[in-house]
Amino acid sequence: MGDSKNIRVAVRVRPLNRRELEQNQRNIIKVLDHTTLMFDPDEDEDEFFFHGMKQTHRDITKRVKKKLTMEYDEVFDAEANNEAIFETCTKPLVQSVMDGYNCSVFVYGATGAGKTFTMLGNEECRGITFLTMKELFRQIDSLSTSRKFDIGISYLEVYNELVMNLLTKTGPLKLREDSSGVVVSGLILKQIHNAEELLDLLALGNQNRTQHPTDANAESSRSHAIFQVHIRMVDKSTGQKRTVKLSMIDLAGSERAASTKGIGIRFKEGANINKSLLALGNCINKLADGLKHIPYRDSNLTRILKDSLGGNCQTLMIANVSPSSLTYDDTYNTLKYASRAKKIRTTLRQNIIPTNVPKEFLVKKVNEQAAEIDRLKARLKDLEEQKTAAVAAVAAAKSASTGFSVPSEALLNTWRSRIDQCYATVKKAQEHYFNLQSKEKILNLRSKLKAQVESIKKIVTLDGKHLNADIARLEASIDRYNKQVTRQKDEMNRWAKRYKDAMKSLEALRQEIRSSDLATLLGFYLRAKDSEIDANKSNYKKNHVMKINMIYTDENKQLEKIMALSAEIVQQDYLLLRSMGRLDNVTLEKMEQMARLDIYTRGVRFSDDDDHNELMQEVNITDTSFDEITNLSDCADFPAPNGLDMETDCGVKRLNDIDESESENERKKAKEDHNKQLEFKRPKALRPLNLQAKSVSVKSTISRKTPTKTQKTTTITQFKVPKLIVSNPPKPSSAKKRQKVANSSTSSNDTSDTSDGPDENGGIGNSTFCIEGDKDATSSLFSNVLVGSNVDPHVLKKGNVISKVTLTLNKENRKFSPKRVGKSPRPLLRTNSRPHTSAASVINRYRMMKAGATAGPSSSSAVPGNSGDVKSTAYDSDSERKIRNIRK
Ligand SMILES: Nc1ncnc2c1ncn2[C@@H]1O[C@H](COP(=O)(O)OP(=O)(O)OP(=O)(O)O)[C@@H](O)[C@H]1O
């Protein structure tokens, strides 16, 4: 397979010619750097005059500049000469040609854009054809010792779709296709031997080329000129042959027929040029789009260029443009073409021709090479033997001086491979076992989390309508997890057994090594291997913990959402209860709990801090439960190592004998410690996680009174919620009124609400509540609820024992509640029995109350533990203040 390469595209901007300078045309190309240009940039001098006066506003008749930034492989500005183009663009192609690749260069552009100048140049400034050929001959000269070259050139033109030979002025010639591509029938190549010979031939060809003056160019070429160099190279040593082709194509101007103002023959000429260039454009577009069918056959030009565009060729396109706005459209089209051509990919193959080298020669060559290989092999063997002998001599010398015998390399290798094999088995079993264990724990965790979601669902369900389906779904997935765990249990046991067996074999090998002569040496090797195993183990554990962490992170995100919603609900309910006079000490206590949790999450706490411990108990986080999830243990009843201490037994022991200063006890202790270090820890027995989801038994105990008339009283019949019990003994003095209030405010059998009735200061009464019930999951769920802004700080202050919360509702306040202004006062009992406010209005009222509280000491709020003092208004709303002002 050949390499695939994009067509390289260079853009050359020629200098403004005399005509353009005279007409003082605008410059439509700005070369930004050696690969980028801007088409139709803003003019530097963008001034607009009207009736000789410079206008401050823009000339609205002016076309908006395109300001297109375009990128190519190379961009040359007006300063660049042909030498520069050759150095950057075609010199590298010569090397490719010498390597056996076909190469093509074609110049494209409108008439007078500088195509012929680029290709042929003039006497002072030679074109790239000459320069490239010069380089080609230079390289041929340098390679002449190893290769034989034959060079033949052809110079053709395609004029009005006819192929003519420019060197012999004959034609038209026919095109035909064979296995090597499109060939021109009857074309005879002209052999040349140096670049100077070429100059004459090019001059001759150009004389024969069809040229006619046009408006745009006095020497306009009206045909496509194709200059080709055919090179045959033969490798002198191998006889390998290559034939390569370098094509340099000077296309006719791509301008619109109208711009040349041709009539008659010129018009036909222009139409044919346009036809072939249109066909070329179609091919470029289709190739750029990667289409399979390319219409090369639409014109002779595209047939000849077939190989250069989409075949086995390294292709360079040089798009020539004039910077003048006179050729605005032509330049724009050329640049667009160039951009499209940049996308074309061609495939490159070296052109190697099967040789006719005699078989005997090849056999001789193969035999020679085989003999050389044998000789080199023998030499290598010799050198290896010498090395082994040298190592053995050094070892012998060492053992003679130290008394320590160096083992042979072969023996060491045998041991090493046995150890490696043993550890490889351990490693494999360990990997499987730990991965399965991790999988099991993750499944257990997921199952546990699902159970948690299930219990949350049961609590937060509104009507139980979708609950059963949700619960069924959750339980199905829990079941699925459990089944997976059960399924992989067998596999895990199998791997646990293999792991154990592998460790037993390893242990046996260790024993063997311990009793061998190489114990010291191999002991180090074993320790290195042990470290590998340990590192692997740590890696598995790390991966496991990371997975767990990811799961928890996801879970936390869900919980955060629930928390945020719950916090809002709790806040609203709290304010509602407060406005209804139903806040009790138990609720406040829970609020305090929440606030404490919140403090915990924000600040740094020490583990021995009492609050911290209390809190950990509250949220039920225990070290063991976490350990159960995150810890991966070794197999159960793994055999305890028995005298594995290679270092102590074999190496250190010897050293210790020398070290007289060390006491016997210390040595013993160190040995014990070391043994402990080497021991594989006996793992804790695997404790399967409890997969049973805690089912929450919920029983309806209250019917909740909703704050608005439209909302119906909802009775949850399936699940248990905290039970509200009112525990305030009625005062005998106001028993009658209290009874009245109680009757009107109680709407459920389980919920009772008693009021002390109006006191001597005109209050309706003080109500105290407490909530009895199981400490259930809800309390921990709402642990992050922010209540600080709604509850006075001293209420929630740590250590402030809230035994009773007394809230007093003022009769006046109720009578002149915002809704009742201007209406007849609502009966007291009705007001008491039906909360007259929505959650939102409660929040508003509360804000007002806060504002009132900060404004002055006159506004007061319910203070726990100070119920006796709080006998007047619990809050002071705007409307109430308004009414008081009216009265004044
Ligand atoms: N880079 C350049 N520097 C100086 N002169 C240039 C350059 N490019 C072109 N010219 C001059 O501009 C004129 C037109 O150039 P040229 O004949 O190469 O255009 P062309 O693209 O081949 O036109 P056509 O398609 O009509 O043959 C010539 O006189 C040429 O010398």
Side-chain angles (χ1 to χ4, degrees):
M1 277 294 285
D3 289 346
S4 169
K5 260 195 171 180
N6 278 81
I7 287 186
R8 270 172 66 79
V9 176
V11 173
R12 183 181 193 181
V13 186
R14 71 155 164 76
L16 288 165
N17 62 26
R18 219 181 55 214
R19 192 165 66 113
E20 289 158 352
L21 284 169
E22 276 168 9
Q23 291 190 17
N24 195 17
Q25 290 295 321
R26 189 168 71 85
N27 211 329
I28 53 164
I29 292 192
K30 193 174 183 181
V31 176
L32 301 177
D33 66 14
H34 69 104
T35 56
T36 324
L37 59 82
M38 184 181 278
F39 175 73
D40 199 10
D42 274 336
E43 281 165 89
D44 294 337
E45 195 61 34
D46 203 10
E47 290 175 349
F48 175 52
F49 290 86
F50 184 69
H51 287 252
M53 293 284 290
K54 188 178 169 186
Q55 303 297 305
T56 45
H57 298 293
R58 255 186 73 82
D59 174 5
I60 52 159
T61 60
K62 242 183 192 175
R63 189 174 47 180
V64 178
K65 302 288 177 296
K66 279 199 166 58
K67 287 194 275 179
L68 286 179
T69 307
M70 293 164 140
E71 237 180 280
Y72 301 94
D73 295 302
E74 296 295 336
V75 174
F76 298 96
D77 60 13
E79 305 288 304
N81 57 17
N82 286 339
E83 192 81 34
I85 314 262
F86 156 73
E87 282 292 334
T88 324
C89 299
T90 57
K91 197 175 177 184
L93 287 184
V94 177
Q95 186 53 55
S96 297
V97 169
M98 299 314 281
D99 291 342
Y101 296 103
N102 288 340
C103 294
S104 282
V105 181
F106 64 92
V107 286
Y108 182 92
T111 185
K115 300 182 292 296
T116 312
F117 183 83
T118 303
M119 276 296 187
L120 303 174
N122 51 34
E123 282 197 9
E124 297 89 56
C125 181
R126 294 287 180 206
I128 57 169
T129 309
F130 174 76
L131 296 171
T132 310
M133 288 304 287
K134 208 171 148 191
E135 173 64 16
L136 188 78
F137 278 107
R138 197 190 62 76
Q139 293 212 15
I140 284 172
D141 278 352
S142 69
L143 292 168
S144 59
T145 46
S146 58
R147 289 189 214 172
K148 186 177 170 294
F149 291 92
D150 288 313
I151 295 151
I153 61 156
S154 66
Y155 200 13
L156 303 168
E157 78 167 345
V158 181
Y159 175 68
N160 280 348
E161 279 298 291
L162 299 173
V163 183
M164 311 295 286
N165 189 338
L166 287 175
L167 296 178
T168 56
K169 215 180 173 194
T170 50
L173 304 171
K174 282 215 156 28
L175 295 179
R176 68 178 167 78
E177 279 181 52
D178 69 7
S179 57
S180 59
V182 177
V183 286
V184 184
S185 306
L187 179 71
I188 297 165
L189 300 177
K190 184 96 182 136
Q191 280 218 333
I192 57 164
H193 305 94
N194 54 54
E196 276 64 37
E197 273 183 59
L198 178 81
L199 278 179
D200 297 338
L201 289 172
L202 283 177
L204 174 71
N206 280 337
Q207 270 177 19
N208 294 333
R209 193 175 174 189
T210 313
Q211 284 178 336
H212 291 290
T214 61
D215 265 12
N217 185 6
E219 287 182 355
S220 180
S221 315
R222 308 309 297 155
S223 64
H224 310 293
I226 299 154
F227 172 78
Q228 285 184 319
V229 190
H230 300 256
I231 306 157
R232 191 172 57 195
M233 308 179 239
V234 184
D235 193 306
K236 284 181 179 169
S237 59
T238 60
Q240 189 189 56
K241 269 187 200 166
R242 295 161 192 229
T243 56
V244 272
K245 198 167 65 180
L246 170 66
S247 311
M248 305 200 77
I249 302 137
D250 179 6
L251 296 170
S254 62
E255 68 285 345
R256 290 167 303 148
S259 70
T260 57
K261 296 200 180 121
I263 45 164
I265 296 175
R266 294 290 84 79
F267 184 79
K268 191 184 166 200
E269 213 171 58
N272 271 314
I273 292 171
N274 280 344
K275 183 188 162 194
S276 50
L277 287 175
L278 183 71
L280 177 64
N282 278 341
C283 291
I284 289 179
N285 278 331
K286 296 209 154 117
L287 283 162
D289 290 340
L291 297 182
K292 279 222 172 104
H293 175 71
I294 312 296
Y296 292 115
R297 300 186 71 88
D298 282 3
S299 80
N300 277 337
L301 174 70
T302 45
R303 287 181 77 190
I304 292 175
L305 287 181
K306 183 181 176 184
D307 207 33
S308 306
L309 289 170
N312 166 30
C313 201
Q314 201 162 314
T315 305
L316 167 75
M317 172 179 173
I318 302 175
N320 288 79
V321 288
S322 152
S324 163
S325 57
L326 266 180
T327 52
Y328 185 95
D329 291 328
D330 290 330
T331 303
Y332 183 47
N333 286 335
T334 304
L335 293 175
K336 271 200 301 190
Y337 256 75
S339 297
R340 294 291 287 161
K342 225 162 76 99
K343 293 189 178 142
I344 300 175
R345 291 186 80 80
T346 55
T347 320
L348 304 179
R349 276 189 312 273
Q350 276 186 323
N351 297 318
I352 299 168
I353 304 172
T355 59
N356 293 327
V357 181
K359 218 195 263 173
E360 298 74 40
F361 172 78
L362 292 175
V363 171
K364 191 181 140 232
K365 275 272 164 206
V366 169
N367 287 341
E368 272 174 19
Q369 279 167 3
E372 179 72 1
I373 291 168
D374 286 346
R375 197 185 60 78
L376 291 172
K377 272 186 181 168
R379 176 94 186 108
L380 186 70
K381 203 176 160 200
D382 239 27
L383 288 172
E384 265 172 5
E385 276 170 11
Q386 278 177 28
K387 186 189 136 204
T388 319
V391 170
V394 171
K398 232 181 190 177
S399 58
S401 62
T402 59
F404 184 77
S405 68
V406 178
S408 78
E409 189 75 12
L411 184 64
L412 275 177
N413 282 344
T414 321
W415 274 113
R416 242 183 264 150
S417 69
R418 276 188 69 191
I419 295 169
D420 287 351
Q421 229 174 353
C422 209
Y423 273 95
T425 322
V426 172
K427 224 162 120 182
K428 191 178 167 194
Q430 188 197 40
E431 185 188 346
H432 277 90
Y433 178 68
F434 275 98
N435 282 342
L436 284 166
Q437 212 185 123
S438 163
K439 219 164 142 188
E440 186 190 33
K441 296 211 169 195
I442 285 168
L443 283 168
N444 284 345
L445 175 66
R446 284 194 190 282
S447 162
K448 204 173 164 187
L449 292 174
K450 286 271 178 206
Q452 199 173 305
V453 172
E454 190 179 315
S455 57
I456 293 170
K457 270 216 178 290
K458 283 176 182 173
I459 293 159
V460 298
T461 189
L462 295 177
D463 52 8
K465 201 173 154 196
H466 302 292
L467 183 66
N468 288 343
D470 286 350
I471 298 288
R473 239 194 333 268
L474 284 167
E475 273 171 3
S477 46
I478 292 172
D479 271 1
R480 235 181 1 258
Y481 289 140
N482 290 350
K483 272 181 196 155
Q484 273 188 52
V485 170
T486 325
R487 259 203 308 275
Q488 74 162 36
K489 204 103 210 155
D490 285 347
E491 207 190 339
M492 201 162 93
N493 288 341
R494 217 170 30 248
W495 279 107
K497 191 174 171 303
R498 280 194 206 176
Y499 187 21
K500 261 191 280 177
D501 290 348
M503 292 305 292
K504 271 183 196 161
S505 314
L506 180 62
E507 170 58 14
L509 184 68
R510 282 178 169 172
Q511 293 285 8
E512 204 182 320
I513 290 170
R514 214 160 64 95
S515 54
S516 80
D517 295 339
L518 302 175
T520 316
L521 215 57
L522 295 177
F524 291 112
Y525 191 59
L526 282 177
R527 277 170 58 197
K529 285 279 171 189
D530 282 342
S531 309
E532 243 177 67
I533 293 282
D534 281 347
N536 284 343
K537 210 189 293 178
S538 308
N539 225 15
Y540 301 135
K541 287 183 180 178
K542 184 197 83 189
N543 290 342
H544 175 66
V545 170
M546 273 165 74
K547 281 180 200 163
I548 296 276
N549 182 40
M550 269 166 67
I551 294 168
Y552 270 122
T553 309
D554 285 349
E555 194 65 19
N556 276 346
K557 277 184 197 154
Q558 288 299 324
L559 285 176
E560 263 171 34
K561 278 186 206 160
I562 297 173
M563 296 275 278
L565 285 171
S566 308
E568 259 177 51
I569 295 166
V570 167
Q571 194 181 42
Q572 286 177 10
D573 282 358
Y574 165 76
L575 292 170
L576 196 65
L577 282 172
R578 189 179 163 136
S579 74
M580 289 163 67
R582 295 194 177 195
L583 251 187
D584 58 283
N585 52 356
V586 177
T587 308
L588 275 173
E589 217 169 284
K590 287 206 169 176
M591 288 290 184
E592 189 191 22
Q593 267 181 3
M594 290 181 201
R596 278 168 59 215
L597 281 171
D598 182 50
I599 290 161
Y600 169 71
T601 54
R602 286 182 199 174
V604 176
R605 288 294 178 114
F606 292 96
S607 58
D608 55 354
D609 192 333
D610 285 349
D611 279 358
H612 168 89
N613 295 333
E614 242 175 66
L615 202 67
M616 294 303 270
Q617 277 169 10
E618 275 171 23
V619 295
N620 198 20
I621 299 170
T622 57
D623 287 345
T624 47
S625 66
F626 197 66
D627 194 47
E628 211 165 57
I629 296 162
T630 54
N631 188 32
L632 293 180
S633 56
D634 273 311
C635 301
D637 59 35
F638 171 73
N642 182 15
L644 299 178
D645 190 352
M646 308 307 299
E647 190 182 288
T648 316
D649 285 355
C650 314
V652 179
K653 196 174 175 189
R654 200 165 57 82
L655 289 173
N656 286 352
D657 288 343
I658 299 161
D659 188 2
E660 295 294 334
S661 61
E662 200 173 3
S663 75
E664 189 59 37
N665 278 348
E666 275 172 348
R667 252 183 288 167
K668 226 174 167 178
K669 194 173 173 295
K671 189 179 169 180
E672 271 170 20
D673 287 347
H674 192 73
N675 272 342
K676 263 185 210 162
Q677 270 179 18
L678 284 182
E679 266 182 28
F680 279 85
K681 272 185 197 156
R682 185 183 285 276
K684 287 178 210 163
L686 283 182
R687 223 173 336 127
L689 284 174
N690 179 19
L691 300 180
Q692 288 299 307
K694 264 190 214 161
S695 56
V696 182
S697 63
V698 183
K699 187 175 98 197
S700 170
T701 52
I702 63 163
S703 65
R704 196 172 149 201
K705 222 177 344 165
T706 49
T708 57
K709 236 181 186 174
T710 49
Q711 283 173 320
K712 283 178 188 164
T713 303
T714 311
T715 308
I716 304 164
T717 50
Q718 282 168 289
F719 306 106
K720 191 169 112 187
V721 294
K723 192 174 171 186
L724 184 72
I725 296 169
V726 177
S727 60
N728 55 327
K731 278 184 189 171
S733 59
S734 53
K736 215 175 170 184
K737 278 177 187 169
R738 190 176 59 236
Q739 191 56 46
K740 213 173 174 185
V741 172
N743 288 343
S744 60
S745 63
T746 309
S747 60
S748 153
N749 292 339
D750 296 310
T751 309
S752 54
D753 177 357
T754 52
S755 166
D756 290 349
D759 56 26
E760 48 288 13
N761 292 330
I764 301 163
N766 299 333
S767 299
T768 57
F769 306 93
C770 72
I771 293 175
E772 278 183 6
D774 291 340
K775 227 186 177 186
D776 57 22
T778 39
S779 59
S780 64
L781 255 182
F782 299 129
S783 57
N784 267 355
V785 172
L786 292 173
V787 293
S789 60
N790 302 319
V791 179
D792 284 342
H794 63 273
V795 174
L796 301 171
K797 221 171 73 191
K798 186 177 173 291
N800 189 357
V801 182
I802 306 164
S803 55
K804 193 169 158 185
V805 179
T806 310
L807 294 170
T808 311
L809 294 177
N810 188 295
K811 188 177 178 180
E812 286 301 304
N813 292 341
R814 297 205 173 187
K815 210 159 133 193
F816 298 104
S817 70
K819 274 188 175 181
R820 305 300 304 164
V821 177
K823 294 183 186 172
S824 59
R826 199 175 260 161
L828 176 66
L829 288 179
R830 199 174 154 208
T831 313
N832 203 19
S833 66
R834 196 175 64 86
H836 62 282
T837 176
S838 70
S841 71
V842 167
I843 293 166
N844 284 338
R845 276 158 164 261
Y846 182 71
R847 282 192 190 130
M848 288 176 208
M849 179 202 91
K850 287 278 275 186
T854 44
S858 58
S859 41
S860 60
S861 61
V863 180
N866 194 18
S867 57
D869 299 334
V870 186
K871 289 187 178 170
S872 58
T873 328
Y875 52 80
D876 199 0
S877 72
D878 269 355
S879 49
E880 287 155 5
R881 273 197 299 276
K882 220 191 227 167
I883 293 160
R884 271 205 298 277
N885 288 341
I886 294 163
R887 279 187 182 160
K888 272 180 203 165

